[in-house]
């Protein structure tokens, strides 16, 4: 009977896989990719959607993908952080709060593309 072996990770992983695995410093992932890069990315997507309105749905999808990747990378990087535990907890708390806000926007109509009908007088 053959032994099952687990494949070894690539010796030269791509930058994206290293980012998602949490192999970047916490300050780079949180501040550069999140606080500075996130708004810059969304402004670029907004500009694309303003110039080409048919790209609006695609821009939102890329924005959601970028945000989810940033949440994942921030969580993984915070888990590997070797500095003061306050920064690890703070980064994870920010991720939890932002996920909760995004879920609330989706669940309670913040991202709904159609108007809510007005209530009728009885």
């Amino acid at each position: 009977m053959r032994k099952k072996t687990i494949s070894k990770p690539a010796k030269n992983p791509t930058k994206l896989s290293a980012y998602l695995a949490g192999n970047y410093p916490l300050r780079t992932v949180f501040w550069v990719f999140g606080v500075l890069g996130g708004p810059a990315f969304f402004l670029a997507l907004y500009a694309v959607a303003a110039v080409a309105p048919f790209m609006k749905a695609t821009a939102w999808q890329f924005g959601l993908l970028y945000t989810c990747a940033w949440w994942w990378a921030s969580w993984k990087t915070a888990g590997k952080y070797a500095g003061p535990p306050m920064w690890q907890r703070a980064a994870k708390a920010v991720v939890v709060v932002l996920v909760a806000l995004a879920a609330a926007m989706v669940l309670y109509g913040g991202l709904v593309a159609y108007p809510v009908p007005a209530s009728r007088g009885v």
Side-chain angles (χ1 to χ4, degrees):
M1 192 157 113
R2 258 178 60 167
K3 271 175 73 173
K4 292 184 179 180
T5 59
I6 299 173
S7 61
K8 295 181 181 178
K11 290 185 180 189
N12 297 319
T14 64
K15 291 181 181 182
L16 178 62
S17 64
Y19 172 71
L20 292 176
N23 294 336
Y24 281 88
L26 180 60
R27 67 178 176 271
T28 303
V29 171
F30 188 83
W31 291 106
V32 175
F33 293 122
V35 175
L36 298 175
F41 186 76
F42 276 98
L43 283 174
L45 291 179
Y46 180 76
V48 167
V51 172
F54 61 90
M55 291 292 294
K56 192 178 285 186
T58 305
W60 273 108
Q61 291 168 354
F62 277 118
L64 182 63
L65 183 65
Y66 181 89
T67 303
C68 289
W70 181 72
W71 289 338
W72 181 271
S74 296
W75 191 270
K76 297 286 275 187
T77 302
K80 294 181 178 182
Y81 184 62
M86 177 186 78
W87 298 118
Q88 177 185 20
R89 292 185 194 119
K92 286 188 174 187
V94 167
V95 170
V96 168
V97 167
L98 291 177
V99 169
L101 286 173
M105 284 175 46
V106 170
L107 293 174
Y108 296 111
L111 294 178
V112 177
Y114 54 88
V116 177
S119 62
R120 298 181 189 165
V122 178

